[in-house]
PDB file of all heavy atoms in Angstrom:
ATOM      1  N   PRO A 507      -8.697 -33.519  33.265  1.00 61.00           N
ATOM      2  CA  PRO A 507      -9.201 -34.801  33.725  1.00 61.00           C
ATOM      3  C   PRO A 507     -10.026 -34.757  34.980  1.00 61.00           C
ATOM      4  O   PRO A 507     -10.872 -35.643  35.220  1.00 61.00           O
ATOM      5  CB  PRO A 507      -7.913 -35.618  33.933  1.00 61.00           C
ATOM      6  CG  PRO A 507      -6.828 -34.582  34.132  1.00 61.00           C
ATOM      7  CD  PRO A 507      -7.241 -33.434  33.291  1.00 61.00           C
ATOM      8  N   THR A 508      -9.869 -33.686  35.747  1.00 62.00           N
ATOM      9  CA  THR A 508     -10.623 -33.573  36.990  1.00 62.00           C
ATOM     10  C   THR A 508     -12.024 -33.092  36.740  1.00 62.00           C
ATOM     11  O   THR A 508     -13.015 -33.648  37.228  1.00 62.00           O
ATOM     12  CB  THR A 508      -9.919 -32.603  37.941  1.00 62.00           C
ATOM     13  OG1 THR A 508      -8.559 -33.016  38.160  1.00 62.00           O
ATOM     14  CG2 THR A 508     -10.644 -32.519  39.281  1.00 62.00           C
ATOM     15  N   THR A 509     -12.149 -32.049  35.892  1.00 54.00           N
ATOM     16  CA  THR A 509     -13.490 -31.421  35.649  1.00 54.00           C
ATOM     17  C   THR A 509     -14.130 -31.929  34.356  1.00 54.00           C
ATOM     18  O   THR A 509     -15.329 -31.803  34.182  1.00 54.00           O
ATOM     19  CB  THR A 509     -13.359 -29.908  35.576  1.00 54.00           C
ATOM     20  OG1 THR A 509     -12.549 -29.561  34.469  1.00 54.00           O
ATOM     21  CG2 THR A 509     -12.704 -29.359  36.867  1.00 54.00           C
ATOM     22  N   GLY A 510     -13.307 -32.454  33.460  1.00 52.00           N
ATOM     23  CA  GLY A 510     -13.797 -32.863  32.186  1.00 52.00           C
ATOM     24  C   GLY A 510     -14.044 -31.750  31.196  1.00 52.00           C
ATOM     25  O   GLY A 510     -14.563 -31.923  30.097  1.00 52.00           O
ATOM     26  N   SER A 511     -13.757 -30.526  31.645  1.00 60.00           N
ATOM     27  CA  SER A 511     -13.998 -29.341  30.779  1.00 60.00           C
ATOM     28  C   SER A 511     -12.764 -29.049  29.886  1.00 60.00           C
ATOM     29  O   SER A 511     -11.644 -29.316  30.296  1.00 60.00           O
ATOM     30  CB  SER A 511     -14.349 -28.098  31.638  1.00 60.00           C
ATOM     31  OG  SER A 511     -13.243 -27.815  32.479  1.00 60.00           O
ATOM     32  N   GLY A 512     -13.006 -28.497  28.718  1.00 79.00           N
ATOM     33  CA  GLY A 512     -11.979 -28.143  27.845  1.00 79.00           C
ATOM     34  C   GLY A 512     -12.422 -27.038  26.877  1.00 79.00           C
ATOM     35  O   GLY A 512     -13.592 -26.556  26.984  1.00 79.00           O
ATOM     36  N   ILE A 513     -11.521 -26.641  26.021  1.00 88.00           N
ATOM     37  CA  ILE A 513     -11.884 -25.563  25.059  1.00 88.00           C
ATOM     38  C   ILE A 513     -12.911 -26.053  24.087  1.00 88.00           C
ATOM     39  O   ILE A 513     -12.959 -27.226  23.747  1.00 88.00           O
ATOM     40  CB  ILE A 513     -10.634 -25.094  24.343  1.00 88.00           C
ATOM     41  CG1 ILE A 513     -10.824 -23.691  23.707  1.00 88.00           C
ATOM     42  CG2 ILE A 513     -10.179 -26.097  23.299  1.00 88.00           C
ATOM     43  CD1 ILE A 513     -10.850 -22.613  24.751  1.00 88.00           C
ATOM     44  N   ASP A 514     -13.814 -25.154  23.672  1.00 92.00           N
ATOM     45  CA  ASP A 514     -14.839 -25.580  22.656  1.00 92.00           C
ATOM     46  C   ASP A 514     -14.751 -24.656  21.445  1.00 92.00           C
ATOM     47  O   ASP A 514     -14.066 -23.635  21.415  1.00 92.00           O
ATOM     48  CB  ASP A 514     -16.224 -25.573  23.241  1.00 92.00           C
ATOM     49  CG  ASP A 514     -16.666 -24.243  23.828  1.00 92.00           C
ATOM     50  OD1 ASP A 514     -16.123 -23.195  23.351  1.00 92.00           O
ATOM     51  OD2 ASP A 514     -17.508 -24.223  24.724  1.00 92.00           O
ATOM     52  N   ALA A 515     -15.492 -25.050  20.397  1.00 94.00           N
ATOM     53  CA  ALA A 515     -15.449 -24.323  19.123  1.00 94.00           C
ATOM     54  C   ALA A 515     -15.957 -22.911  19.278  1.00 94.00           C
ATOM     55  O   ALA A 515     -15.398 -21.960  18.658  1.00 94.00           O
ATOM     56  CB  ALA A 515     -16.218 -25.105  18.053  1.00 94.00           C
ATOM     57  N   ASP A 516     -17.000 -22.709  20.061  1.00 94.00           N
ATOM     58  CA  ASP A 516     -17.561 -21.346  20.221  1.00 94.00           C
ATOM     59  C   ASP A 516     -16.543 -20.406  20.828  1.00 94.00           C
ATOM     60  O   ASP A 516     -16.474 -19.226  20.454  1.00 94.00           O
ATOM     61  CB  ASP A 516     -18.829 -21.427  21.063  1.00 94.00           C
ATOM     62  CG  ASP A 516     -20.037 -22.026  20.337  1.00 94.00           C
ATOM     63  OD1 ASP A 516     -19.971 -22.114  19.114  1.00 94.00           O
ATOM     64  OD2 ASP A 516     -20.949 -22.478  21.035  1.00 94.00           O
ATOM     65  N   THR A 517     -15.796 -20.887  21.778  1.00 94.00           N
ATOM     66  CA  THR A 517     -14.762 -20.042  22.408  1.00 94.00           C
ATOM     67  C   THR A 517     -13.684 -19.633  21.409  1.00 94.00           C
ATOM     68  O   THR A 517     -13.247 -18.513  21.358  1.00 94.00           O
ATOM     69  CB  THR A 517     -14.116 -20.809  23.586  1.00 94.00           C
ATOM     70  OG1 THR A 517     -15.099 -21.138  24.542  1.00 94.00           O
ATOM     71  CG2 THR A 517     -13.039 -19.946  24.247  1.00 94.00           C
ATOM     72  N   LEU A 518     -13.311 -20.586  20.536  1.00 96.00           N
ATOM     73  CA  LEU A 518     -12.308 -20.291  19.539  1.00 96.00           C
ATOM     74  C   LEU A 518     -12.820 -19.322  18.465  1.00 96.00           C
ATOM     75  O   LEU A 518     -12.082 -18.461  17.993  1.00 96.00           O
ATOM     76  CB  LEU A 518     -11.785 -21.574  18.865  1.00 96.00           C
ATOM     77  CG  LEU A 518     -10.992 -22.511  19.761  1.00 96.00           C
ATOM     78  CD1 LEU A 518     -10.586 -23.764  19.023  1.00 96.00           C
ATOM     79  CD2 LEU A 518      -9.726 -21.784  20.317  1.00 96.00           C
ATOM     80  N   ARG A 519     -14.114 -19.440  18.123  1.00 95.00           N
ATOM     81  CA  ARG A 519     -14.669 -18.485  17.170  1.00 95.00           C
ATOM     82  C   ARG A 519     -14.731 -17.075  17.785  1.00 95.00           C
ATOM     83  O   ARG A 519     -14.466 -16.101  17.089  1.00 95.00           O
ATOM     84  CB  ARG A 519     -16.096 -18.942  16.742  1.00 95.00           C
ATOM     85  CG  ARG A 519     -16.070 -20.008  15.647  1.00 95.00           C
ATOM     86  CD  ARG A 519     -17.458 -20.513  15.327  1.00 95.00           C
ATOM     87  NE  ARG A 519     -18.347 -19.461  14.983  1.00 95.00           N
ATOM     88  CZ  ARG A 519     -18.441 -18.874  13.769  1.00 95.00           C
ATOM     89  NH1 ARG A 519     -17.637 -19.274  12.822  1.00 95.00           N
ATOM     90  NH2 ARG A 519     -19.324 -17.893  13.559  1.00 95.00           N
ATOM     91  N   ALA A 520     -15.074 -16.992  19.034  1.00 96.00           N
ATOM     92  CA  ALA A 520     -15.063 -15.681  19.724  1.00 96.00           C
ATOM     93  C   ALA A 520     -13.671 -15.095  19.768  1.00 96.00           C
ATOM     94  O   ALA A 520     -13.475 -13.895  19.607  1.00 96.00           O
ATOM     95  CB  ALA A 520     -15.633 -15.866  21.156  1.00 96.00           C
TER      96      ALA A 520
END
Side-chain angles (χ1 to χ4, degrees):
T508 304
T509 64
S511 63
I513 199 72
D514 58 26
D516 288 341
T517 300
L518 291 178
R519 279 176 54 81

